[in-house]
């Protein structure tokens, strides 16, 4: 009995056009980072320093330290000294004297402004009573003097239009102004 031949049969030649083979771009595989003793040494030093800080101890990694095995495990590493000082505040006692709290102060209300901008203002509270003027108001300027507390339903006087305007307002009135500019007390 003969053993089968391990070589495959030859591929027959077939005449005709030669098939085109497409070239594939090379695949570049990055080289993994080299692992050395230096990162390990930094990790060991960091761990020891962290433990020393937590324990409040002084550590020297210079071959003559308290842990020679650790110093021997980190050749070429400069000595590292860590000193931790913890200060604890003394507790306060209940017998300590304290001054009574200052009475609350209420700030005096600021004086009413001597100028008026767009909005509705209560005379005597928001703005002082008196005569006000505006110079060069546009044609869309509207102002109204209203009886206070009527929510704008009781109009004493009003005006729509521009120019150099002047109004006199008294306590117990509201003054409403829109698109007139800055009213200045005369």
């Amino acid at each position: 009995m003969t053993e089968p031949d391990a070589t495959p049969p030859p591929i027959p030649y077939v005449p005709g056009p030669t098939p085109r083979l497409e070239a594939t771009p090379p695949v570049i595989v990055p080289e993994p980072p080299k692992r050395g003793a230096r990162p390990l040494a930094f990790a060991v030093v960091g761990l020891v320093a962290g433990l020393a800080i937590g324990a409040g101890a002084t550590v020297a990694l210079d071959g003559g330290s308290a842990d020679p095995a650790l110093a021997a495990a980190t050749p070429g590493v400069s000595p590292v000294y860590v000193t931790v000082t913890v200060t604890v505040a003394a507790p306060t006692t209940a017998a300590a004297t304290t001054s009574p709290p200052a009475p609350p102060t209420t700030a005096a209300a600021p004086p009413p402004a001597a100028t008026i901008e767009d909005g509705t203002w209560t005379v005597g509270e928001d703005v002082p009573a008196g005569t006000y003027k505006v110079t060069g108001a546009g044609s869309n300027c509207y102002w109204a003097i209203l009886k206070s507390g009527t929510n704008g339903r009781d109009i004493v006087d009003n005006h729509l239009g521009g120019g150099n305007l002047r109004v006199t307002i008294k306590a117990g009135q509201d003054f409403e102004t829109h698109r007139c500019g800055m009213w200045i007390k005369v």
Side-chain angles (χ1 to χ4, degrees), residues 1 19 54 58 64 79 85-87 124 132 136 146 166-167 178 181-183:
M1 193 166 186
T58 300
T85 303
V86 178
T87 304
Y132 291 82
L146 313 164
R166 185 178 290 255
V167 296
H178 299 286
M182 177 88 59
W183 293 85

Side-chain angles (χ1 to χ4, degrees), residues 19-84:
R20 291 185 61 193
L21 298 176
E22 303 262 336
T24 58
V27 177
I28 299 173
V29 178
E31 193 173 309
K34 294 182 181 179
R35 298 180 185 258
R38 181 163 265 194
L40 178 61
F42 286 130
V44 169
V45 169
L47 177 63
V48 170
L51 291 174
I53 290 171
T58 300
V59 178
L61 300 178
D62 61 353
S65 70
D67 189 358
L70 182 60
T74 57
V77 176
S78 301
V80 175
Y81 299 96
V82 177
T83 303
V84 177

Side-chain angles (χ1 to χ4, degrees), residues 112-114 116 123-124 127-133 145 166-171 173 175 183-186:
I116 302 175
V123 180
V127 295
T131 301
Y132 291 82
K133 70 176 184 174
I145 299 173
R166 185 178 290 255
V167 296
T168 301
I169 52 179
K170 302 181 251 179
Q173 295 178 330
F175 181 66
W183 293 85
I184 301 171
K185 189 171 184 184
V186 180

Side-chain angles (χ1 to χ4, degrees), residues 14-20:
V14 178
T18 305
R20 291 185 61 193

